[in-house]
Amino acid sequence: MKLTEKELEIVEIVEKNARIPLDTLAKMTALTVEEAESILKKLEETKVIVQYATIVDWRKIDGHEGVTAMIDVKVTPKRGVGFDEVAERIYRFPEVKSVYLMSGAYDLSVVIEGRSMAEVAHFVSEKLSTLDSVISTTTHFILKKYKHDGTVFDQGDQDRRIVVAP
């Protein structure tokens, strides 16, 4: 789908801040509120804008730290459907947050979230590795998030201004 310059501008703005007020979006793009709203509606209907998401730093909420793991999966693709069928079977598990087809040593990269390392281990051993097409897995636990989807975590309250002396 080819987007106009204004549509592309709106996509870029909303990607950085999905909660931007419509009137501010209109001013930033030199459009009327009605025009901006119409473009947003079109982008949502055509699934260019798939969903509005919130990024939460769960480590800051007591009792909700959880565990995130990235799992490299080597699979045997099925004739006629390639990797799509096994990827769909994997992404249907509620623990799975993302599935990507990758180049390199492994075929799929799977991101899952669980309450504990034991829960992630149970998922890998009882659900993921038992699928017919799965040949092998390698699990990596995320120890700390520094940046996620363009958002930097733990910047702190330090004064980041440049010191200027006379």
Side-chain angles (χ1 to χ4, degrees), residues 6 15 21 25 55 71-72 74-75 88 108 117 128 139:
K6 289 295 181 184
E15 182 182 34
L25 180 64
I55 298 172
I71 307 166
D72 298 325
K74 187 176 268 303
V75 299
E88 183 176 344
L108 299 174
M117 290 176 81
L128 184 60
T139 304

Side-chain angles (χ1 to χ4, degrees), residues 4 6 13 22 26 38 55 58 65 75 79 81 112 122 139:
T4 67
K6 289 295 181 184
I13 292 168
L22 197 51
S38 173
I55 298 172
W58 287 105
E65 295 83 6
V75 299
R79 186 177 302 275
V81 292
I112 73 161
H122 181 266
T139 304

Side-chain angles (χ1 to χ4, degrees), residues 54-123:
T54 301
I55 298 172
V56 177
D57 189 351
W58 287 105
R59 294 174 306 131
K60 293 186 176 181
I61 303 171
D62 292 338
H64 290 279
E65 295 83 6
V67 176
T68 303
M70 299 177 82
I71 307 166
D72 298 325
V73 185
K74 187 176 268 303
V75 299
T76 304
K78 299 231 176 176
R79 186 177 302 275
V81 292
F83 296 101
D84 295 345
E85 184 179 292
V86 69
E88 183 176 344
R89 287 187 68 194
I90 292 170
Y91 73 61
R92 289 186 179 276
F93 290 112
E95 301 90 338
V96 175
K97 300 302 172 196
S98 305
V99 177
Y100 305 98
L101 179 62
M102 305 296 289
S103 63
Y106 290 89
D107 303 308
L108 299 174
S109 180
V110 179
V111 178
I112 73 161
E113 292 179 357
R115 289 188 295 268
S116 66
M117 290 176 81
E119 188 174 287
V120 171
H122 181 266
F123 171 81

Side-chain angles (χ1 to χ4, degrees), residues 11-72:
V11 168
E12 290 170 350
I13 292 168
V14 172
E15 182 182 34
K16 291 180 184 143
N17 180 6
R19 294 185 60 175
I20 191 164
L22 197 51
D23 60 329
T24 305
L25 180 64
K27 286 177 190 171
M28 290 175 71
T29 55
L31 295 169
T32 66
V33 172
E34 292 77 21
E35 290 170 327
E37 186 175 31
S38 173
I39 289 172
L40 265 180
K41 186 174 178 82
K42 175 189 171 195
L43 293 168
E44 292 167 353
E45 288 172 353
T46 57
K47 299 293 185 199
V48 170
I49 296 176
V50 179
Q51 179 176 322
Y52 297 95
T54 301
I55 298 172
V56 177
D57 189 351
W58 287 105
R59 294 174 306 131
K60 293 186 176 181
I61 303 171
D62 292 338
H64 290 279
E65 295 83 6
V67 176
T68 303
M70 299 177 82
I71 307 166
D72 298 325

